[in-house]
Amino acid sequence: NVIYCFDFLDQNKEAIVFLNNYINKNPYSEIAWHQLGRQHYQLKEFENAYRAFDYASLIDEKFIGAHLEKAKSLEKMKQYTDAIDSYKITLGLDDPTAYAYLRIGKCYQKLNQMDDALDYYLKAVHEDPLLDKAWIAITNYYCKQDNFEKALFYLDKALSIDSENKVK
């Protein structure tokens, strides 16, 4: 609860000091490590965030939030293959989420593995048909393939969810 006060006051650095002191006394608190990672992430200190999330996931291997945040940090550090591995861990810990599928697809796209990216975008819309970002990712895939008929089909899907959506 103390960390939420720091967050409310936008005092990330102070929260980091508090959490480091707390962790010195309670080194196996996965929640404290996770919160420390969140503070570093907000400061765009992605390597420090990754390390904190990694500790949290080592302490509690089933801590889905730690694995998810770890993957997001790896993605920010452009370590896409490792990010995919972390996102995939989350798929095995609980019911798969469309968000995790979408992020895996985005990582594959960054690795220029477009067919793998499409597979995960399709899994994302299967899991959550209202996830317009996944429909747009599929649209972009087909645009890059010069398959404009399919691109238009998937664009219509995205626009039926959010008619204000601006396609990039």
Side-chain angles (χ1 to χ4, degrees), residues 149-167:
E149 188 175 321
K150 276 194 173 182
L152 185 58
F153 173 79
Y154 288 108
L155 178 60
D156 284 340
K157 295 272 194 184
L159 290 174
S160 71
I161 296 165
D162 181 3
S163 62
E164 300 295 314
N165 207 325
K166 295 186 178 39
V167 179

Side-chain angles (χ1 to χ4, degrees), residues 129-141:
L130 298 178
L131 184 60
D132 59 330
K133 290 177 179 157
W135 291 111
I136 290 171
I138 296 168
T139 300
N140 289 336
Y141 170 85

Side-chain angles (χ1 to χ4, degrees), residues 74-133:
L74 286 163
E75 201 174 341
K76 290 289 189 181
M77 296 180 334
K78 300 181 188 222
Q79 295 181 19
Y80 302 114
T81 302
D82 292 333
I84 290 168
D85 292 341
S86 287
Y87 282 124
K88 284 183 176 179
I89 289 171
T90 70
L91 300 177
L93 292 176
D94 200 1
D95 291 336
T97 65
Y99 176 82
Y101 284 139
L102 176 63
R103 295 315 315 160
I104 292 169
K106 292 288 187 181
C107 289
Y108 276 124
Q109 183 175 338
K110 293 288 186 178
L111 294 169
N112 206 29
Q113 296 177 15
M114 297 307 293
D115 291 338
D116 291 327
L118 178 62
D119 287 343
Y120 279 91
Y121 295 150
L122 291 170
K123 289 178 182 183
V125 297
H126 178 76
E127 192 64 36
D128 182 0
L130 298 178
L131 184 60
D132 59 330
K133 290 177 179 157

Side-chain angles (χ1 to χ4, degrees), residues 3-12 14:
I3 299 306
Y4 295 117
C5 295
F6 283 118
D7 284 343
F8 180 75
L9 296 170
D10 198 27
Q11 295 181 340
N12 302 97
E14 292 83 352

